[in-house]
Amino acid sequence: VLAGTFNESPDVEPFGVGDPCVACGAELRASYADETFAVACPDCGKPHGKYAFPPGGLNDRDETELLRAFDQRVRHLHCLAADGVCPECNGRMTTNVVEADDPEEAPLGLSVHVEHVCAQCRHRLRSSVGLSLLDQSDVVSFYRERGVDLSATPYWTLPWCVSDEYVEVVGRDPWALRVTIPEGDETLTVTLGPDLGIREAERETEARS
């Protein structure tokens, strides 16, 4: 009841996010319907995230505060799931890498994505590979050293969080993924195991002419 699920049916008009689409550069728009918050590009249609958001979270928040709350909710839900804990019942969650036959039918339009499933309540979360890296120390340190607070950076502004362009499958039995994370003139490349844990991390600085 306090979450608003049973007694609230809020109506929120779509509004501009103020951040560009990672695919075409147009301003993203946020929308809310059926207790689901979504960020997407109105021009090219590229989805940047669509997740459950209890209506109580809309109370006493302006658009900026709402976007911040949604960003924090998404990253914490998926990082918790990647750590093997169900955000619904605290049961044990398994993590699976999925290659979609048709990317247009997959979450976020990704040909490679992650699926977390709870063995206890069967709760399911699907996301990009990058979302699970937002609290990894190698990634956080990489950004911090470049003067960027990753915890205060909306995940939808990070191309490696909403696109599989930066993900390479380097093994399938067991799964091994390589994610390239560019920032300025430096690139962090991490290799992940089937549990999405970082096995290797390498940095490379772009040569200047």
Side-chain angles (χ1 to χ4, degrees), residues 81-145:
D83 286 337
V85 181
C86 176
E88 290 291 308
C89 74
N90 290 328
R92 188 184 302 276
M93 279 201 125
T94 58
T95 296
N96 303 295
V97 178
V98 179
E99 281 188 290
D101 294 329
D102 184 358
E104 293 185 358
E105 299 297 326
L108 298 176
L110 304 174
S111 59
V112 179
H113 66 276
V114 176
E115 185 173 77
H116 307 285
V117 182
C118 178
Q120 183 164 278
C121 73
R122 310 309 298 173
H123 179 63
R124 187 183 305 266
L125 279 173
R126 297 182 178 91
S127 73
S128 68
V129 175
L131 272 180
S132 66
L133 301 178
L134 287 170
D135 67 346
Q136 294 283 349
S137 59
D138 290 292
V139 179
V140 173
S141 297
F142 173 69
Y143 275 90
R144 183 189 300 118
E145 291 168 12

Side-chain angles (χ1 to χ4, degrees), residues 73-84:
R73 175 177 171 80
V74 170
R75 64 174 66 213
H76 288 305
L77 285 179
H78 288 83
C79 288
L80 187 65
D83 286 337

Side-chain angles (χ1 to χ4, degrees), residues 161-174:
C161 272
V162 293
S163 170
D164 58 4
E165 176 185 349
Y166 301 85
V167 179
E168 178 186 1
V169 177
V170 294
R172 291 182 172 81
D173 188 19

Side-chain angles (χ1 to χ4, degrees), residues 170-193:
V170 294
R172 291 182 172 81
D173 188 19
W175 283 102
L177 305 172
R178 183 178 293 126
V179 182
T180 302
I181 302 174
E183 176 62 25
D185 61 353
E186 194 170 4
T187 298
L188 174 67
T189 301
V190 295
T191 302
L192 313 178

Side-chain angles (χ1 to χ4, degrees), residues 44-62:
C44 72
K46 165 70 177 175
H48 288 59
K50 183 177 181 180
Y51 301 103
F53 193 85
L58 305 176
N59 294 334
D60 300 320
R61 285 193 172 108
D62 59 24

